[in-house]
Amino acid sequence: MDIAHTDELFIGSRWVRPASTDEADVVSPFDGRVVRRLPRPSIEDAKSAVAQAAEAFGAWNALSVTQRLERIGRFCEGLDKRKQQIAEVWALESGMPITQCLDLTNAASDLWNLALREAETAPWVEVRDTSMGRLEVRREGVGPTVGVVAFNGPHMQFALAIIPALIAGNTLIVKLPAECRMLGYVFGAAADEAQFPEGVFSLIAGDADVSAYLVEHPEVAAVHFTGGTEVGTSVMKACADRVANVVLELGGKSASIIAADADLDSTIPVLVDSMALYSGQICVAMTRLLVDRSIHDEVVSRLVAGLATLKMGDPTDPETQWGPLAAERFRERAEGYIERAVADGATIAYGGSRPDGFDGYFLEPTLLTGVTNDMEVAQNEIFGPVFVVIPFDTIEEAIEIANDSRYGLSGSVFTSDEATGLRVAREVRSGVFIINGTFPCLAAPFGGMKQSGFGREGGPEGLFALTQMKAITLSTDEPAAV
């Protein structure tokens, strides 16, 4: 991989020498080999990033949206011309099959370019006539912001959270996960070409101590966190004492309801494809399959047949459909859930083991039957290739089971009756829902309910997620300056 500046860090919009000589291994999840060693960011590096972001915020926020878009547009152009490299690096260090990487990278590109277009016409400044006089209502940046992104789609989170936050006038410290250390250098190269003002943008692939330092820093005015609910609650607590703004895009345990009238010839391939997407390491994965009892056995049989066709292999091979998990600890966690589910009475209909012939962090797609919704495996987000089938007798019962979860991120229903689909979609408590599909529209407001978080990404709502409003009472009838 041709990656530049690998002895430096992108701090304060510039490549700089790290404060420490400590290095971290980049390990391929496919075969466990070390593919590169890169600087390990320290708390001193994080301290510098926050100090520069705080100093730069006033001038960056004072620019017009048009002026900020000039730099951010160059950043997006730099990302666009690196789409192939982004996909290749992501596949190598995180284990997602390259074809899926390319699909999601292209989708991310569509979304960040959509954000640029929407920003041009969004109502950043409005003039309102009220019974108490004319007002100028402005949307401004919150302040220095930490964006914590996850390994399963960091550039998608750039499109939905980081770029909108920059457009709004915030200075950004992006905290990348350890599984995306190399990818950070590709993002950094694009940001370098954008020539952001000093201090506006930093990228730090730090470990837990660096993450905690950033989230708890008194000069960090906002945190946009994408990740698990347990860590999200700790982020929220850390921000509470200083009343920092928080947007949380957290976990899910989404249910897909397969009604008795579903067209299984089209439904099963869609479900199998969704199960194969990054081996279930997706927050919107349909990990609970709620199936009408009358078609339960047929659905299970078809799913097993579909999963058996998935080609497992090297994630950099375009023919691969099922790659390794991103890290050994993720595989071990999934295996623990499978073992305990079987002990609780579940049956492995397919998978459940490490496949022969692979040295990396592979785990077969696992389909469990005989599961009840109160089992641990049906209630906790596993973030891995473990899917449960739960039968139901009526649509009302299916809706009740779907809602019997502390999560509320996504959901879906497969039915031939549009009215049934709409009814289910409206009654299931989730932030997004799909009729006869499994992947949500990310160009619309995306986010969760309940313990899946709050705040929204995507669409106009995402542009304003990290803004605060100011109302100015005007003393004249002169038009307000934008």
Side-chain angles (χ1 to χ4, degrees), residues 49-112:
V50 174
Q52 292 188 60
E55 184 174 351
F57 171 69
W60 179 248
N61 189 52
L63 295 176
S64 68
V65 172
T66 300
Q67 289 172 316
R68 289 196 293 269
L69 283 174
E70 180 184 353
R71 305 295 181 95
I72 300 166
R74 287 206 296 263
F75 180 34
C76 292
E77 289 173 5
L79 293 172
D80 279 337
K81 75 179 185 182
R82 291 174 171 83
K83 287 191 294 184
Q84 182 69 33
Q85 186 183 24
I86 288 172
E88 290 174 354
V89 171
W90 194 20
L92 177 65
E93 72 173 340
S94 298
M96 178 179 278
I98 185 68
T99 52
Q100 297 176 12
C101 289
L102 286 168
D103 287 344
L104 289 179
T105 301
N106 285 325
S109 172
D110 290 342
L111 289 168
W112 61 57

Side-chain angles (χ1 to χ4, degrees), residues 251-306:
K253 194 69 180 178
S254 302
S256 184
I257 297 171
I258 299 93
D261 65 349
D263 178 359
L264 297 186
D265 288 340
S266 60
T267 297
I268 298 300
V270 171
L271 286 173
V272 171
D273 284 348
S274 72
M275 294 161 80
L277 182 57
Y278 208 6
S279 306
Q281 297 173 116
I282 298 290
C283 60
V284 294
M286 300 294 153
T287 52
R288 291 186 297 155
L289 306 178
L290 313 186
V291 182
D292 189 284
R293 197 178 301 275
S294 67
I295 58 171
H296 174 277
D297 292 351
E298 182 180 2
V299 168
V300 170
S301 177
R302 287 188 181 216
L303 286 172
V304 167

